[in-house]
Amino acid sequence: MITVNSVYLNLITNEKFRILWINPSNTYAYVIDLRSNAKMPYEMLIEDVLKGILRKEITRIDEENIILSDRKLLANNRAWEIIAPLVNQEPDIYLKTERYRLIERIMSEFSVSDVTIYTYLKKYWQGGMTPLALVDQRILSGGKGKEKQQHQKRMGRPSTNNRSIVITNEVKQQIKKVLNDFYFKDESATLKFAYDMMIYLYYSEQVTNDQGVQTIKVKDQIPTMRQFHYWARKLFNPTQKIVKKKGEKNYQRNHRGTEGSAVYEAMAPGTRFEIDSTIGDIYLVSSYRRDKIIGRPTIYMVVDVFSRMITGFYVGLESQSSWFGAMQALIHTAKDKVELCQQYGIEISEEQWPSKYLPRAILADKGEFIGYNSDVLTQNFKIRVENTSSYRADMKGTVEKVLDLIPKFIKPFAPGYIKPDFQERGGKDYRLEAKLTIQEFTSLLIHCILHYNNSHCNQYPLTKAMIEDQVIPTPLNIWSWGIRQNPSHLMSYSTEQVYFRLLPRSKATVTQHGIKFKGALYTCEVASSENWFSVARNQGSWKVDISYDPRDTEHIYIHHENQFIQASLLPHQETYRHTTFEDIDFLNQVLSEQKNKAQAEQINKNVNTIHIIKQTTDEFIKKADSESFETPKSSKSEQIRNIKGNRRYEREIERQQNRLDTKKEQPEPAKGMGQLSNSFKRKSIIELGLNEIRKGDEYEA
């Protein structure tokens, strides 16, 4: 299937081109050449592309470069501001006759030339139709956007007066407090008033003049108005300012970013997906310790409104209405379902679950998709985010129905499922029946999804065209029919792009044993080729930025020199395979508790052993002191002169005692030892010992 934003290579002409727009009847598309000297978009028949694919003259390819998705890169993106009103004017922007008419207004509004606008448009289209394609990669150099270390010398542009001061953490807290107290609470208040209040509260003092009149005098060194404005913008982003000053509802109604209408009819697959979440009515256990109950899971579902097909899901321990959980559901929405099901031991064909695309619009609760979260989808994937009104779950009826239907297949069989008598007096505590892990419950849920996608929808309003084509109303059949008729609303992005732009980020540590993250050890080709582990052993460990999929502990993704590098678990890290990072966190917690308990027990053992050794040693010393009175005193030189003779005598006593205790026949003594042993037999051990000690050197000879 040919989709928007996919890239193809003509093997005959060696031309790479990107699909920019497909007409609703799926007969032709506008494409752009990806070479540097490319012209503007041109029309191409879908039939010609399909024929080229069948003849193996045209092949689909993955994009070579992944542009970093960082909110800082989009700041002050003037190129995007210029072309943003143009790129959504489809298909007029692709038509030569209409394009210049659209550009003329932008030229006068932004005072830029048509050449500049054409350059921005081509860069946008060739780079994947995302604002990130317009970012100058040089912005990644240096430390722009990072907060600098504070020193005694004031940073920034030189001041026109000598009153400015170094902005320390204490000063930042002062700015934050006066903004909360004197700017956000009063809609009519100004930043100038908040600044004056800060100077009054923290940088002025009461003085008395010669006439005894008390006045307020401002100190010589104070924050300047420019510094105050700078840190006001830095401490509170524009969204926070509006929400704090005018309220959440006012921001949603008059100030949040929107694209188009929030409500319109879904005419094809991908026109709009709905997303919602619920808390599962089942208690689960840890995959490491089945005797440890981890509570009830959060379940997210993503449903295509046109076909009613479930296109993505998430099961985990994130709280309901969490952006983190919603993000995981969207990642699974864009992921190849054959690969996704394999992670849970389920083998399917692509035809059984063909959805691996992002939509044009997403309808969600405003909890997860407000502010920056919705900007991520809009700026990176051109997805329009629509939020329902408060307490209006009926506006997402499609996904709400799915969340009610799916559990009914699992509930009769899965232990730990909550039943109506859970809250009644004397009712059964279903938490104690929990036996399934997150992975096992997710596997059951996938089976339910596959069944639902292939179930008959009695209430589906079939169109005349569907009836003529004898479409059986199942979500899978309607989806397949819809994309044959009009695939223009489905957006195709590589798994790497979706992962990199939506996956959560963290820090890992490069050690001599491997790249350590949450206790697990990983490696990658770059680490091996650049000898990271050897360097860490000799020069010390260091941190690296990573992205990771909380559902997949097999890999993490390292940010290295503007690249997205996959790192895999080391072979001996079997403990961390086939699990989730949530379970690893639980395992680390259990291991930490066990370690603390073992350390406490070990300290107790150490103290007891020390006590026994000390007590026994004291008894031996006391005994030695008492016996020393019964033995004649000898000089120090005499005590050390015959050490070898004493040692030899003691050894013979040891041998003699062992021989007397042994009942078996003894082997023949070594040559020269027979006479010595016989001499001991003729005398008592005590008598012999005394004589030998007296003889000293004669015995040694």
Side-chain angles (χ1 to χ4, degrees):
M1 183 179 69
I2 299 173
T3 57
V4 174
N5 204 39
S6 53
V7 178
Y8 294 86
L9 172 65
N10 189 319
L11 300 175
I12 306 300
T13 63
N14 202 32
E15 173 194 355
K16 287 193 296 186
F17 59 89
R18 184 187 300 277
I19 306 295
L20 301 179
W21 182 82
I22 302 175
N23 75 320
S25 60
N26 199 31
T27 55
Y28 68 91
Y30 282 104
V31 303
I32 188 166
D33 189 347
L34 297 186
R35 290 174 292 192
S36 58
N37 58 347
K39 297 180 180 179
M40 298 304 287
Y42 57 92
E43 184 179 309
M44 179 178 288
L45 295 176
I46 297 296
E47 184 180 1
D48 292 343
V49 179
L50 294 175
K51 287 181 179 178
I53 294 174
L54 291 174
R55 294 171 184 165
K56 296 185 177 180
E57 297 175 352
I58 296 176
T59 182
R60 181 171 175 170
I61 61 174
D62 294 328
E63 295 188 68
E64 298 175 356
N65 298 319
I66 299 175
I67 301 175
L68 293 180
S69 175
D70 192 325
R71 70 186 79 176
K72 297 177 182 178
L73 299 182
L74 293 171
N76 301 320
N77 192 341
R78 177 172 169 77
W80 172 241
E81 293 179 7
I82 292 174
I83 68 169
L86 299 174
V87 295
N88 291 322
Q89 302 293 324
E90 298 175 320
D92 290 352
I93 192 62
Y94 305 122
L95 301 174
K96 183 177 180 180
T97 54
E98 296 293 328
R99 185 163 48 240
Y100 195 80
R101 178 182 61 80
L102 296 172
I103 287 175
E104 278 186 318
R105 180 176 59 83
I106 301 299
M107 291 169 56
S108 60
E109 181 178 346
F110 289 92
S111 300
V112 293
S113 66
D114 56 347
V115 175
T116 299
I117 297 177
Y118 284 136
T119 301
Y120 290 158
L121 285 172
K122 285 196 338 185
K123 194 173 181 181
Y124 172 82
W125 287 325
Q126 290 180 328
M129 295 192 290
T130 168
L132 291 169
L134 301 169
V135 174
D136 189 343
Q137 295 299 304
R138 290 176 297 179
I139 198 171
L140 297 173
S141 302
K144 185 175 182 180
K146 298 180 181 179
E147 191 167 325
K148 310 301 186 296
Q149 294 295 325
Q150 293 290 347
H151 301 285
Q152 295 300 319
K153 184 178 179 181
R154 195 186 69 84
M155 297 180 293
R157 191 176 72 188
S159 175
T160 55
N161 58 58
N162 295 323
R163 306 188 71 182
S164 60
I165 64 172
V166 176
I167 303 298
T168 63
N169 289 330
E170 181 183 0
V171 179
K172 293 176 193 176
Q173 291 302 317
Q174 295 169 358
I175 295 173
K176 202 169 185 178
K177 181 170 177 53
V178 296
L179 287 173
N180 284 321
D181 292 346
F182 304 107
Y183 178 67
F184 294 132
K185 289 184 177 180
D186 186 356
E187 188 172 345
S188 62
T190 63
L191 284 174
K192 178 64 170 62
F193 175 73
Y195 171 75
D196 291 339
M197 288 302 299
M198 183 182 73
I199 301 301
Y200 170 73
L201 292 173
Y202 302 107
Y203 297 95
S204 62
E205 55 188 358
Q206 196 174 57
V207 296
T208 305
N209 60 18
D210 297 337
Q211 288 75 32
V213 179
Q214 292 184 340
T215 58
I216 300 297
K217 180 183 178 182
V218 176
K219 297 179 181 179
D220 293 336
Q221 299 295 317
I222 61 172
T224 64
M225 187 65 181
R226 191 177 71 188
Q227 289 175 314
F228 182 82
H229 272 279
Y230 172 82
W231 284 104
R233 291 193 302 269
K234 197 171 183 66
L235 294 172
F236 297 94
N237 63 44
T239 299
Q240 290 176 310
K241 287 182 181 178
I242 297 172
V243 170
K244 280 178 170 289
K245 197 167 180 67
K246 299 191 176 183
E248 180 70 31
K249 292 185 177 180
N250 186 285
Y251 169 77
Q252 290 296 324
R253 183 173 61 252
N254 301 319
H255 299 281
R256 71 178 178 92
T258 59
E259 289 186 23
S261 173
V263 179
Y264 65 98
E265 189 176 1
M267 299 299 295
T271 304
R272 182 200 290 137
F273 286 178
E274 290 182 3
I275 183 171
D276 200 9
S277 65
T278 187
I279 301 297
D281 292 332
I282 185 172
Y283 282 91
L284 302 179
V285 298
S286 168
S287 60
Y288 287 105
R289 291 278 303 272
R290 288 187 182 265
D291 61 328
K292 299 294 185 180
I293 303 171
I294 59 176
R296 297 162 59 182
T298 298
I299 303 173
Y300 268 87
M301 287 290 175
V302 184
V303 180
D304 174 53
V305 175
F306 174 80
S307 65
R308 308 296 196 263
M309 187 165 78
I310 299 174
T311 59
F313 70 94
Y314 163 77
V315 179
L317 302 180
E318 291 299 321
S319 60
Q320 192 178 9
S321 300
S322 162
W323 166 246
F324 190 82
M327 173 198 63
Q328 287 297 302
L330 292 176
I331 289 175
H332 286 174
T333 299
K335 191 170 186 176
D336 183 271
K337 300 307 187 292
V338 175
E339 178 185 347
L340 178 61
C341 290
Q342 283 177 347
Q343 295 179 8
Y344 297 93
I346 301 174
E347 298 293 333
I348 65 170
S349 63
E350 187 174 354
E351 291 75 21
Q352 289 178 270
W353 199 356
S355 62
K356 54 181 179 181
Y357 309 100
L358 292 178
R360 289 287 187 177
I362 288 181
L363 179 63
D365 287 330
K366 60 185 180 181
E368 304 102 315
F369 290 85
I370 283 181
Y372 170 69
N373 297 335
S374 61
D375 293 342
V376 169
L377 297 176
T378 302
Q379 295 170 351
N380 286 284
F381 303 109
K382 293 183 64 178
I383 296 176
R384 182 179 63 255
V385 176
E386 302 169 354
N387 287 304
T388 62
S389 302
S390 301
Y391 309 108
R392 290 295 306 276
D394 57 295
M395 296 180 68
K396 297 188 277 75
T398 307
V399 70
E400 289 285 343
K401 185 177 180 180
V402 166
L403 287 170
D404 290 337
L405 286 175
I406 289 297
K408 75 175 185 179
F409 296 101
I410 307 175
K411 191 171 184 176
F413 312 105
Y417 238 106
I418 299 173
K419 295 181 181 179
D421 64 346
F422 181 64
Q423 297 292 343
E424 296 179 4
R425 177 177 294 182
K428 187 182 295 185
D429 191 345
Y430 295 101
R431 293 173 294 186
L432 302 177
E433 296 184 352
K435 292 184 179 179
L436 301 182
T437 65
I438 287 180
Q439 293 87 342
E440 292 165 345
F441 179 73
T442 303
S443 178
L444 295 176
L445 192 70
I446 290 175
H447 284 294
C448 293
I449 292 173
L450 294 172
H451 172 76
Y452 170 84
N453 285 343
N454 207 32
S455 298
H456 194 279
C457 302
N458 293 322
Q459 304 299 323
Y460 188 87
L462 293 171
T463 64
K464 184 178 180 181
M466 291 178 183
I467 296 173
E468 291 175 351
D469 291 341
Q470 300 181 353
V471 176
I472 299 175
T474 68
L476 181 59
N477 290 336
I478 296 170
W479 171 279
S480 301
W481 181 87
I483 60 177
R484 288 196 301 270
Q485 303 300 316
N486 182 8
S488 62
H489 295 281
L490 294 172
M491 302 291 289
S492 177
Y493 291 93
S494 68
T495 303
E496 289 79 10
Q497 285 178 307
V498 177
Y499 262 49
F500 193 81
R501 294 171 184 174
L502 290 183
L503 279 181
R505 299 184 178 191
S506 187
K507 296 277 188 182
T509 305
V510 180
T511 70
Q512 62 176 319
H513 304 295
I515 303 169
K516 189 174 184 179
F517 179 62
K518 291 184 179 290
L521 296 173
Y522 298 82
T523 186
C524 64
E525 292 182 2
V526 173
S528 299
S529 62
E530 297 183 3
N531 295 320
W532 282 9
F533 308 142
S534 176
V535 174
R537 181 175 185 180
N538 293 282
Q539 299 182 12
S541 60
W542 68 91
K543 301 285 186 181
V544 291
D545 293 321
I546 66 161
S547 296
Y548 68 99
D549 183 353
R551 310 296 300 160
D552 179 17
T553 56
E554 297 285 329
H555 306 99
I556 59 175
Y557 306 92
I558 299 173
H559 307 175
H560 179 66
E561 295 181 354
N562 202 12
Q563 295 181 4
F564 192 50
I565 300 171
Q566 178 176 282
S568 304
L569 270 176
L570 286 169
H572 65 278
Q573 296 286 286
E574 289 295 329
T575 306
Y576 301 103
R577 295 189 188 279
H578 309 300
T579 184
T580 68
F581 282 107
E582 292 165 342
D583 276 325
I584 288 181
D585 288 336
F586 177 78
L587 174 64
N588 291 335
Q589 181 182 351
V590 171
L591 292 177
S592 177
E593 292 173 356
Q594 292 176 349
K595 181 180 178 181
N596 293 336
K597 183 178 179 181
Q599 286 178 343
E601 293 176 353
Q602 187 62 47
I603 291 173
N604 190 55
K605 291 177 182 178
N606 295 345
V607 172
N608 278 278
T609 302
I610 291 171
H611 173 70
I612 293 172
I613 291 175
K614 183 180 183 302
Q615 192 177 45
T616 306
T617 303
D618 291 342
E619 292 176 0
F620 290 158
I621 293 173
K622 185 177 180 180
K623 180 180 178 182
D625 291 340
S626 64
E627 291 178 354
S628 65
F629 288 106
E630 301 174 3
T631 306
K633 295 282 185 176
S634 58
S635 64
K636 293 180 180 179
S637 61
E638 290 176 343
Q639 291 180 34
I640 65 176
R641 183 173 56 201
N642 198 26
I643 291 178
K644 290 184 178 180
N646 297 340
R647 179 183 180 88
R648 196 163 188 171
Y649 161 69
E650 195 74 21
R651 185 173 65 231
E652 283 300 329
I653 292 178
E654 180 184 336
R655 290 177 180 176
Q656 193 70 7
Q657 288 174 339
N658 290 338
R659 181 169 299 179
L660 291 174
D661 292 341
T662 304
K663 297 180 181 180
K664 294 183 180 180
E665 185 178 349
Q666 299 296 325
E668 289 294 328
K671 188 176 181 180
M673 292 298 295
Q675 295 178 355
L676 183 62
S677 298
N678 290 334
S679 67
F680 279 104
K681 291 179 181 178
R682 288 193 296 268
K683 297 181 180 180
S684 69
I685 294 175
I686 297 175
E687 182 182 357
L688 175 62
L690 293 173
N691 290 337
E692 291 300 325
I693 291 174
R694 294 190 190 102
K695 290 180 180 179
D697 293 336
E698 296 178 6
Y699 178 84
E700 182 70 13

